[in-house]
Amino acid sequence: MRTFLLIAATAAVVSGCAVDGGAGRPLPSLEIGPGIEPIPGSITYGGQPRTRLQKAPVGSSVPHDFRTSRGERVRETYIIQPDRSLKLVNRRVCRLPSCDD
């Protein structure tokens, strides 16, 4: 069931990014997969956090929003692993000053 929900959520994110922003605006970039590297501002940038999420169930997702030094809005999604570490599974970067989801 969790796998189905993860696939459904990923499909919803991807389908939302496939729509043109209108007026010739560029689409936000979207990265999905196991090889996404953390960037400055990511929770896991520089390694796993010292504290672990103890109450969140294994397999649940953790959203994280932040802005880069260039003002780009970033939304990342992490999945809690069995060892209570965080795995970065997708990142969406909006390079426009005002970007609607």
Side-chain angles (χ1 to χ4, degrees):
M1 182 67 172
R2 288 184 190 167
T3 303
F4 174 77
L5 291 175
L6 180 61
I7 291 170
T10 302
V13 169
V14 171
S15 67
C17 291
V19 178
D20 182 23
R25 295 187 341 206
L27 296 173
S29 70
L30 179 67
E31 299 175 42
I32 298 176
I36 302 173
E37 294 295 323
I39 60 174
S42 298
I43 296 173
T44 56
Y45 184 72
Q48 290 288 326
R50 284 187 232 159
T51 58
R52 305 281 181 162
L53 296 170
Q54 297 299 322
K55 294 185 180 182
V58 170
S60 62
S61 64
V62 177
H64 176 61
D65 297 338
F66 63 96
R67 290 198 178 266
T68 66
S69 60
R70 294 184 289 176
E72 300 167 329
R73 192 173 62 185
V74 179
R75 175 169 287 162
E76 295 180 330
T77 304
Y78 294 85
I79 299 293
I80 299 177
Q81 301 297 293
D83 66 353
R84 312 307 289 175
S85 65
L86 295 172
K87 179 180 179 182
L88 180 58
V89 293
N90 103 26
R91 175 185 299 126
R92 181 175 181 208
V93 179
C94 181
R95 292 184 170 89
L96 301 174
S98 173
C99 184
D100 297 326
D101 290 342

